[in-house]
Amino acid sequence: GAVVSQHPSRVICKSGTSVKIECRSLDFQATTMFWYRQFPKQSLMLMATSNEGSKATYEQGVEKDKFLINHASLTLSTLTVTSAHPEDSSFYICSAPDRTRTVTDTQYFGPGTRLTVL
Amino acid sequence: TQLLEQSPQFLSIQEGENLTVYCNSSSVFSSLQWYRQEPGEGPVLLVTVVTGGEVKKLKRLTFQFGDARKDSSLHITAAQPGDTGLYLCAGAPREYGNKLVFGAGTILRVKS
């Protein structure tokens, strides 16, 4: 149980284009999902909290107009990287807590999306 | 200064050796999680510790939560090459709501 999927797993795009990444909770509902960015051999950096039915909350230094988040349903959150540039190339990971479990703040992670901007 | 201090950052050992990874904080956590991540994949949950003083075992891995719920450790006995990966501790401090705070990670390499 508590499976989170991401799509696509890898994407290569040209500079200036927009890329959408989907995060789905497959066997539970998630009113909250989290988006992270990870650089090679480093820990995860929280970008934003995605809230179902309301606006996302962004961490300090993360441009909300650059990284658009939509939490359209209880099982789907999307991250759109707008006007992507090479410096946006990174590994993006989403997570979601399964509130039906005993320990409600344990988060389950998607497999990640490798974005490469040429 | 990170809220969760994880050490060591790098560990390269021979197969069969034991090792311990530490995660320390001045904040109290309602629970702490340990994850293992391989290159190009998302973190996979190993364990969640909840009760102060709790010890959990997962085959050759032993996880401990400090009595005051401010620190945790991961001990691996007789490490295998398959244990190689990035180990992350994470938790949600009371003052952070439901956002996870991560340690810096420990890159473990087990040589055969």
Side-chain angles (χ1 to χ4, degrees), chain A residues 2-60:
Chain A
V3 179
V4 176
S5 70
Q6 271 183 253
H7 178 81
S9 56
R10 291 177 179 270
V11 57
I12 300 173
C13 69
K14 292 182 179 179
S15 188
T17 60
S18 294
V19 174
K20 182 186 282 189
I21 302 170
E22 292 185 350
C23 177
R24 292 181 186 273
S25 56
L26 298 186
D27 53 357
F28 66 100
Q29 294 182 331
T31 55
T32 305
M33 291 184 175
F34 300 89
W35 287 96
Y36 298 83
R37 186 172 178 176
Q38 186 178 33
F39 293 103
K41 297 185 179 181
Q42 292 187 24
S43 189
L44 280 68
M45 182 186 76
L46 179 64
M47 298 175 64
T49 303
S50 174
N51 304 296
E52 189 268 336
S54 63
K55 290 183 180 180
T57 53
Y58 291 81
E59 295 302 299
Q60 193 172 10

Side-chain angles (χ1 to χ4, degrees), chain A residues 32 34 36 38 41-44 46 49 59 91 93 99 103 105-111, chain B residues 30-31 33 35 37 40-43 45 48 50 86 88 92 98-100 102-104 107:
Chain A
T32 305
F34 300 89
Y36 298 83
Q38 186 178 33
K41 297 185 179 181
Q42 292 187 24
S43 189
L44 280 68
L46 179 64
T49 303
E59 295 302 299
F91 194 52
I93 311 174
R99 303 288 186 205
V103 182
D105 54 6
T106 297
Q107 291 190 21
Y108 300 89
F109 287 82
Chain B
S30 57
S31 68
Q33 290 89 53
Y35 296 88
Q37 185 182 21
E41 299 180 11
L45 178 69
T48 298
V50 180
L86 173 66
L88 296 160
N98 58 359
K99 291 193 290 188
L100 272 189
F102 280 85
I107 297 175

Side-chain angles (χ1 to χ4, degrees), chain A residues 75-87:
Chain A
T75 58
L76 173 64
S77 174
T78 59
L79 168 68
T80 301
V81 183
T82 62
S83 187
H85 288 94
E87 57 266 29

